[in-house]
Amino acid sequence: MAHSGINVLLEGHNFARLLGGLWTTVWIAALSLLIGLALGAVLGILRTFKNRLLRLILRLYLEFFRIVPTVVLLFLAYYILPRMMHAANLPGSLMAVVAFALWVAAEFSDIVRGALISVPKHQRESGLALGLNRQQLFYYVLLPQAFRLELPATINLATRVIKTTSLLMMISVMDVINIGQQIIEANNHLYRTGVFWVYGLIFVFYFLVDYPLSRWAKKMDAKQAD
Amino acid sequence: MSWTIIQQSLPEFAKGFRLTLWLSLVGILGAMVVGIIVSLVRYFKVPYLAGILAAYVELARNTPLLIQLFFLYYAFPVIGWKMSAAACGIVGLIFLGGAYMAEGFSGGFNGVAKTQLESGKALGMSSWQLARYVVFPQGFALSVPALAANVIFLIKETSIFSVIAIPELTNTALDLIGLYYRSNEYLFVLVIAYAIILIPLSLILTWLERKVRYGTFGN
């Protein structure tokens, strides 16, 4: 075992550093989701309004995010946005949150819209018959029901965001993968198979976070189908 | 934004464009084949194999393509499995895409209405005939929307190939930015290039979905 690559994980602060990288990954994903879901909920409600121009603009917003790969979104945020805002040296992690949040907002707006329009018509009519105004109708009738409908898709979106954080290394954020690469390079002469263990551990990290979430989403989906 | 710079970069981008298309095509076809096999094994609940393939689907779907590629490209060579970057890209895309396609097909097969199966049995069909004449034709039609979404998803995922230096579209743009520091121009061309591939494709796939609506019979 003396020269087994697994030692690379046990050596010095390597494991703690990897956990630190994981923390960066987690907070970027969590913050992006939080902002993105809030913004997406508003956009999704706006998309059910009658105004055609508004709907067209929001639709184009969504389609842009559907067409451009997320790596490219990150590059746009990293290379172009700071210049547009006349600010130099904005950290990659901040720009990643901006890019991810806008992307989540686009995807979530479609989930919210889909859920709102699939709340049965009679629910809306009953609400109106009870004398609820538009605001009350949304707040007491449509949103709570839509929330249930949209939950599985939202959890799936969260798993996608978590997986997509693997791309953070491309805009030099010190995420778990970037730190893993540093550890591999520093220890390559000692442990030839270290690369196997470090990437293996990161692989397992992602799986342990994403698998329970996707199971949960699937279960809820099956429940709703009944 | 300088049009001359854009114009000068077009031959480079054309190469990346062709490579992205080619890798996507091979990856998607491979993923479909894997997806069909996996979903059939799981549909007929082949002993052992069904369980192993279920584990494969979960592993592939719940980990990022980037780590899968790093594993293929950097970790496998130390245990004596060396492949070119392009081969790693295709194998990775098929590994990831196969799992997504399998889920798409399985969803379709399982979505075939129970009444259809029962009617088939009542007509005296064997289980092979039931599969061939009832489950597959309707199941495929039902899986088209999921498959279409996967096709678009997989084409976008090829952008991640740039991390193992495959000179597809995204890698081409990154290289050019590194050489000439003109990110506005090159990222503009990059977005347009993906739009040229994905907008027509998504229109065609939406049209196709409408064509195969018959899958919802009996529901």
Side-chain angles (χ1 to χ4, degrees), chain A:
Chain A
M1 278 301 273
H3 279 276
S4 161
I6 199 169
N7 283 340
V8 83
L9 298 176
L10 310 171
E11 193 113 314
H13 301 294
N14 285 352
F15 194 75
R17 283 183 65 202
L18 280 171
L19 285 183
L22 192 67
W23 171 241
T24 309
T25 301
V26 168
W27 78 252
I28 291 179
L31 192 59
S32 314
L33 270 168
L34 225 69
I35 301 171
L37 293 180
L39 181 60
V42 176
L43 298 183
I45 293 172
L46 289 179
R47 283 190 61 196
T48 63
F49 286 11
K50 286 218 172 67
N51 189 328
R52 292 192 107 179
L53 182 67
L54 183 71
R55 274 184 5 209
L56 179 72
I57 292 169
L58 291 176
R59 180 72 201 274
L60 288 177
Y61 174 76
L62 169 70
E63 293 300 333
F64 175 79
F65 283 89
R66 288 248 166 106
I67 281 163
V68 180
T70 325
V71 195
V72 181
L73 293 177
L74 278 180
F75 290 152
L76 290 175
Y78 188 61
Y79 289 112
I80 304 217
L81 264 190
R83 224 176 300 150
M84 278 168 64
M85 300 191 299
H86 299 288
N89 295 327
L90 288 174
S93 48
L94 176 69
M95 299 330 286
V97 171
V98 173
F100 284 167
L102 291 175
W103 165 57
V104 170
E107 294 276 350
F108 191 56
S109 77
D110 210 41
I111 295 173
V112 170
R113 175 186 156 274
L116 279 174
I117 58 176
S118 53
V119 171
K121 239 199 183 108
H122 60 83
Q123 292 283 335
R124 187 190 195 94
E125 285 156 3
S126 317
L128 289 173
L130 285 172
L132 298 180
N133 65 32
R134 207 185 159 82
Q135 232 175 354
Q136 288 170 322
L137 192 69
F138 262 104
Y139 194 75
Y140 294 112
V141 181
L142 300 178
L143 288 181
Q145 296 191 49
F147 179 75
R148 270 181 36 137
L149 288 173
E150 75 206 14
L151 206 50
T154 310
I155 298 167
N156 276 328
L157 180 60
T159 66
R160 279 168 61 204
V161 172
I162 292 164
K163 281 189 287 180
T164 311
T165 56
S166 61
L167 305 175
L168 288 170
M169 58 150 293
M170 299 189 73
I171 54 170
S172 6
V173 175
M174 274 298 144
D175 73 323
V176 66
I177 296 177
N178 223 333
I179 288 180
Q181 277 179 323
Q182 288 184 348
I183 292 173
I184 289 165
E185 271 163 39
N187 295 282
N188 209 11
H189 56 290
L190 266 178
Y191 307 111
R192 215 174 55 88
T193 55
V195 53
F196 210 84
W197 293 98
V198 173
Y199 284 144
L201 183 73
I202 298 174
F203 189 89
V204 171
F205 271 159
Y206 273 106
F207 184 76
L208 286 181
V209 178
D210 258 8
Y211 178 65
L213 282 176
S214 67
R215 275 293 295 270
W216 184 29
K218 217 179 231 178
K219 240 182 221 162
M220 271 192 307
D221 233 355
K223 219 183 195 173
Q224 281 182 5
D226 288 344

Side-chain angles (χ1 to χ4, degrees), chain B residues 96-143:
Chain B
L96 176 85
Y100 276 89
M101 292 292 186
E103 290 280 277
F105 284 122
S106 295
F109 294 156
N110 294 329
V112 175
K114 290 275 171 309
T115 53
Q116 293 283 315
L117 290 171
E118 284 156 9
S119 316
K121 271 184 207 151
L123 286 172
M125 286 183 166
S126 67
S127 49
W128 172 243
Q129 284 174 320
L130 210 57
R132 185 157 167 221
Y133 297 111
V134 181
V135 178
F136 296 147
Q138 296 184 42
F140 277 119
L142 282 177
S143 35

